Amino acid sequence: MKLWTLRYHSAKGHQGALLKCEWRAGVFGLSDLHPWPEFGEPDLEELIVDLASGKIDTLVELALEANALDARLRETNRNAFLGLDLPRSHKLVMSSNALSPGNLNVWKDLGFKVLKVKLVREDAAKASELDKLICSSDFVWRFDFGGSLSAGEAKKWWIALSDAAKGKIDFVEDPTRGEPAGVGKWADDWYQQPTSNVKIFKPGHDLLGDTKKYRRVVFTHAFEHEFGQSYALWVAAKFYRELHISPEVCGFDSGSPRLKPQEGLGFGFDELLLSDKWERCL
C-alpha cells in the first residue's frame, strides 16, 4: 500500500490530514484523520508517525477502514449515497448570545425544527432566561455544556428549569466531565453520565460497538474536513437503515436541515485525488 497525506486546519483550528491510499495498482481511496488532543486523542504528528511505521491507533484504524471502503466504491464506479435515506440535521448554535428572536425566526424559515446550543458555565446561572425562551418557541432544544459544570451546578440548573421547558428539551450533552449529575436528560459525547441513554457518535472517533448500552444514537461530525463530514453522514444513514429504525435528527448542519452529499465516486471529492499538494508518507 502507498500512502499520502494532505494537511489542513479545520474551522475549529485543529490540524487534520486527508489520507490518500493506493491499495493496489490504480485503486485509490480517500479518508480523513482529525484528532482532538484536548480530549485525550493523540496529536496529528504522532498519528502520522504511527501510519508511517505501521502502528495502528484507533483513529488510524477508523481512517483506514473508511479509506478502504471509499476505494472499493471508486473501483466499482459507485457513489456511496445512492438509495440512502439521509438524516436531517439540527441547527448548531455556537453561543447562547446568538439566541435572538430574529435568529430564531431565520432558522425556523430555513426549515430547522431542532436547535443545539453550546453553553458555558456562566449560562447555568441564567436558567430563568433560557426557560422563557424555550417555552416561547416551537423548537425542540438540545444543549451542550462541554463538561463545563460541576455535578452540583448541573443539578441546580436542571432543577431550576420548569416542567414545560424540560418537556421541550431533547437532551443535554456532557453536563460534567463524568461526575454524576443525577437525574436529567443527559447525553454522552466525550464524557459519560451513569444515567445517559443517548450517545452522540462521531464516526471518525468512536467505535460502533460502544453504542450498545444506549437507547438512542445521534450522529455528528467533529468539525473536520468536509470529506470527513460526508463520511459521517453515510455512516449515520447506513446505521439507521440496517437497524430498521427511523433516522434521528443528527448534527450535520451545513446552513440547512439537510447536508447535501457530494457527487462523484465513493464519498465524493474526486478532484482531491488530482491535487499536487499530497505528501508521500508510506
Side-chain angles (χ1 to χ4, degrees):
M1 181 181 74
K2 298 178 182 178
L3 175 65
W4 295 261
T5 61
L6 181 61
R7 299 171 189 245
Y8 68 87
H9 282 85
S10 72
K12 282 288 190 177
H14 290 85
Q15 284 191 320
L18 295 174
L19 308 182
K20 180 173 76 171
C21 298
E22 186 177 28
W23 293 90
R24 55 184 178 277
V27 178
F28 291 89
L30 295 174
S31 59
D32 196 2
L33 187 62
H34 181 250
W36 281 62
E38 60 265 52
F39 289 106
E41 295 180 340
D43 65 29
L44 180 65
E45 296 307 319
E46 181 180 344
L47 291 173
I48 289 177
V49 170
D50 288 349
L51 269 168
S53 64
K55 181 181 176 182
I56 303 299
D57 176 275
T58 297
L59 294 185
V60 170
E61 180 179 4
L62 290 170
L64 291 178
E65 286 179 357
N67 200 294
L69 175 58
D70 185 63
R72 289 197 299 272
L73 289 165
R74 292 180 187 279
E75 186 178 22
T76 53
N77 294 311
R78 288 184 292 161
N79 180 277
F81 296 95
L82 291 178
L84 283 180
D85 181 17
L86 303 181
R88 295 177 65 87
S89 177
H90 59 225
K91 170 63 184 177
L92 178 60
V93 183
M94 296 303 295
S95 168
S96 62
N97 294 329
L99 296 175
S100 67
N103 281 340
L104 292 179
N105 287 331
V106 169
W107 300 330
K108 183 178 180 180
D109 289 343
L110 287 172
F112 288 103
K113 299 182 183 301
V114 181
L115 300 183
K116 174 184 169 180
V117 186
K118 297 274 191 178
L119 299 180
V120 295
R121 188 181 184 188
E122 291 71 23
D123 289 313
K126 305 173 185 177
S128 60
E129 296 177 24
L130 191 59
D131 194 292
K132 293 177 183 176
L133 187 63
I134 295 170
C135 292
S136 64
S137 77
D138 296 327
F139 291 105
V140 173
W141 294 78
R142 296 171 174 175
F143 297 103
D144 181 3
F145 274 104
S148 62
L149 303 181
S150 68
E153 289 168 335
K155 292 174 184 177
K156 183 177 179 180
W157 175 79
W158 183 254
I159 291 171
L161 296 172
S162 67
D163 289 342
K166 290 175 182 174
K168 290 191 171 187
I169 294 175
D170 190 16
F171 53 73
V172 181
E173 294 178 38
D174 289 349
T176 74
R177 296 194 173 191
E179 186 182 2
V183 176
K185 289 185 176 180
W186 312 131
D188 293 345
D189 185 2
W190 295 102
Y191 307 106
Q192 294 186 359
Q193 282 293 316
T195 57
S196 293
N197 57 29
V198 180
K199 173 62 180 174
I200 310 303
F201 189 90
K202 300 178 176 72
H205 299 256
D206 300 320
L207 299 171
L208 276 172
D210 295 338
T211 65
K212 293 180 180 178
K213 72 173 186 176
Y214 298 94
R215 284 200 302 107
R216 298 171 57 196
V217 180
V218 175
F219 287 81
T220 188
H221 58 75
F223 297 99
E224 61 263 76
H225 189 277
E226 289 179 346
F227 185 95
Q229 297 178 32
S230 182
Y231 174 69
L233 176 66
W234 178 85
V235 173
K238 288 280 287 184
F239 177 87
Y240 297 127
R241 187 176 75 174
E242 290 177 1
L243 290 184
H244 305 289
I245 56 179
S246 297
E248 293 271 1
V249 175
C250 292
F252 299 113
D253 175 16
S254 60
S256 73
R258 289 193 183 275
L259 177 62
K260 184 180 178 181
Q262 288 286 320
E263 297 179 353
L265 301 181
F267 299 106
F269 300 89
D270 297 352
E271 70 281 359
L272 283 175
L273 288 171
L274 304 176
S275 171
D276 60 1
K277 297 180 180 180
W278 291 100
E279 298 177 9
R280 182 73 181 268
C281 177
L282 180 64

